Amino acid sequence: MQAVESDPRALRVLLVEDDDGDALLVEELFSDANLAVDLSRARSLEDAAEMLEVDCVLLDLGLPDAAGIGALERILASPRTPAVVVLTGMAESAAGLRAVAAGAQDYLVKGDVSPELLARAVRYAIQRRHAEIQERDLYRAQLRASETSRLERALLPTPLVADGALEVLVGYRAGRDGLLGGDFYDVVERSDGSVAAIVGDVAGHGPDEAALGATLRTAWRTSVLAGLPAEKVLDVTEQILAAERGRPEIFATAVMVVLQPDRRSLDLFLCGHPAPFLLGTPTVPLPSDLRGRALGIPVLGGWRSQRVELGDRWRIVLFTDGVLETTIDGGSGRLGEEGLMEVMAQQVVAEAADVPRAARRPLVDRILEAVRARHGGDLVDDTALVVLGWGGTA
């Protein structure tokens, strides 16, 4: 049933009406309205349920399988709700007002409708519905941005370091969908002058993982500030993970370093996580002889520290595996450790060649941009980086 020949610009309208006479009247009104309309018809709500991929529904409130506001509510419950204009009888104008209050965009009284009025009601109803959808999407975007901002403050804190001679750079990039994941970092100077830093990654990606990552980061900082030994800090963080995770299979990897007060060495803890790199030309990984299990994995064994001598002048970078697993060469390979070390070494060389310009773009940003360029676009996984340096650039 069509009022005009099929036209790609035509408005798609579904008439839900069981009375043949009323249906014919609507068709004639559209024909006289000089409005391009693809008109289809359903005789019941059951039939209409399979035909809602339209711009507007003209809904009779007296149908064989539904009547009154209940009929409208069933249409509005559809996952894709089009604009709805309710059709009422002459004595049912109050029902039309109730329908608009319940979610319909407009109502028309049968027997008191002209072609111009019908066309205008349909066009305006569609415009109002589009405005409602845009307003809803904007609200959701604002809510998402607000939630992301709160998570960012918890996941991505300002390093708590008083030693101005120690270089501390941090960076984070959300994945391609813009949502925060479970990657987190923190850097805290302890009362004895040592500096503890962590980069961690909760398995999975999404708001639940981000919330858990924020909780673990807070637990870690609290434990460090409380003066707990480094091994105990990891124990407490794991206890919080076990208590707060939504499923028992959730785990987190982490790397923690504790810089000694003289800044010439550090203690390295690897919890199922890639080892940090010592930046330079070449860039090389720190020793990883004493690898421990990931947090939350129910196997025996804890974490032992490995003392790493650094010397007088050094830079190290801690990172999550989002950069390692980045695909390159059109998706045919992964960047991996060798590729990431090459990228970092190139950035160290570029910085040394143009120190003033590099100072305007922090090293962590340039590393992330270089990885993004090798990938050919935004990274799929979220990524966190922490750079610590002493004695000037490498």
Side-chain angles (χ1 to χ4, degrees), residues 29-382:
L29 288 170
F30 272 128
S31 296
D32 295 338
N34 193 28
L35 179 68
V37 173
D38 284 337
L39 184 64
S40 55
R41 180 188 174 193
R43 296 176 179 273
S44 67
L45 275 184
E46 182 178 359
D47 294 340
E50 306 298 326
M51 304 170 65
L52 292 178
E53 291 294 325
V54 295
D55 300 306
C56 183
V57 173
L58 293 175
L59 176 65
D60 180 24
L61 290 183
L63 297 168
D65 54 349
I69 299 300
L72 172 64
E73 290 174 343
R74 288 173 59 180
I75 292 291
L76 296 179
S78 168
R80 183 196 181 282
T81 304
V84 180
V85 176
V86 165
L87 301 175
T88 69
M90 292 292 293
E92 299 174 326
S93 58
L97 292 174
R98 290 195 299 272
V100 171
Q105 277 65 51
D106 206 346
Y107 78 95
L108 295 171
V109 178
K110 295 179 182 179
D112 191 24
V113 180
S114 65
E116 294 76 15
L117 179 59
L118 176 61
R120 185 168 63 250
V122 168
R123 286 198 303 267
Y124 286 179
I126 293 172
Q127 291 173 2
R128 281 193 289 271
R129 180 58 182 159
H130 286 169
E132 291 170 0
I133 292 173
Q134 291 173 352
E135 183 177 0
R136 180 197 63 196
D137 291 345
L138 176 60
Y139 172 75
R140 289 178 175 174
Q142 292 172 335
L143 189 64
R144 174 175 167 177
S146 176
E147 186 67 22
T148 298
S149 178
R150 285 195 294 271
L151 285 172
E152 281 182 344
R153 289 194 296 272
L155 280 169
L156 316 176
T158 300
L160 192 59
V161 177
D163 184 355
L166 180 68
E167 179 185 30
V168 180
L169 303 174
V170 294
Y172 181 91
R173 291 288 175 87
R176 181 173 295 164
D177 59 6
L179 288 173
L180 291 171
D183 290 13
F184 61 94
Y185 66 74
D186 205 351
V187 186
V188 175
E189 186 170 356
R190 305 200 300 182
S191 59
D192 63 357
S194 62
V195 173
I198 190 171
V199 165
D201 184 2
V202 176
H205 184 79
D208 292 340
E209 289 76 11
L212 182 56
T215 300
L216 298 182
R217 202 281 308 167
T218 302
W220 182 87
R221 174 175 280 207
T222 302
S223 300
V224 171
L225 291 175
L228 297 182
E231 295 84 353
K232 187 61 177 177
V233 168
L234 292 173
D235 287 338
V236 170
T237 305
E238 184 177 51
Q239 291 173 18
I240 296 299
L241 169 64
E244 297 294 332
R245 60 187 173 185
R247 305 186 307 278
E249 65 270 20
I250 296 297
F251 65 93
T253 66
V255 54
M256 181 175 73
V257 299
V258 180
L259 293 173
Q260 297 306 305
D262 64 4
R263 309 295 186 244
R264 295 177 58 86
S265 63
L266 61 78
D267 291 330
L268 172 63
F269 297 83
L270 294 175
C271 310
H273 200 89
F277 291 167
L278 181 65
L279 290 170
T281 51
T283 291
V284 296
L286 294 184
S288 56
D289 303 328
L290 300 180
R291 288 187 176 274
R293 60 178 174 80
L295 303 173
I297 298 295
V299 296
L300 296 177
W303 308 277
R304 294 169 56 196
S305 65
Q306 182 167 2
R307 179 61 59 92
V308 179
E309 299 299 328
L310 296 172
D312 297 326
R313 191 166 179 258
W314 52 265
R315 251 178 169 178
I316 62 170
V317 55
L318 292 70
F319 51 87
T320 52
D321 61 6
V323 284
L324 293 178
E325 297 178 357
T326 296
T327 57
I328 57 175
D329 302 327
S332 61
R334 293 188 181 276
L335 186 61
E337 283 199 357
E338 293 293 332
L340 183 58
M341 285 188 288
E342 180 182 351
V343 165
M344 292 185 177
Q346 290 170 350
Q347 296 309 310
V348 171
V349 171
E351 182 178 59
D354 189 358
V355 173
R357 182 179 178 184
R360 294 195 294 270
R361 297 191 62 221
L363 177 64
V364 288
D365 291 344
R366 290 186 288 109
I367 290 173
L368 289 170
E369 281 301 316
V371 172
R372 182 183 181 277
R374 288 291 303 273
H375 175 63
D378 292 338
L379 304 184
V380 175
D381 197 5
D382 49 325

Side-chain angles (χ1 to χ4, degrees), residues 19-30:
D19 186 281
D20 291 338
D22 287 342
L24 179 60
L25 177 60
V26 170
E27 185 176 2
E28 291 176 346
L29 288 170
F30 272 128

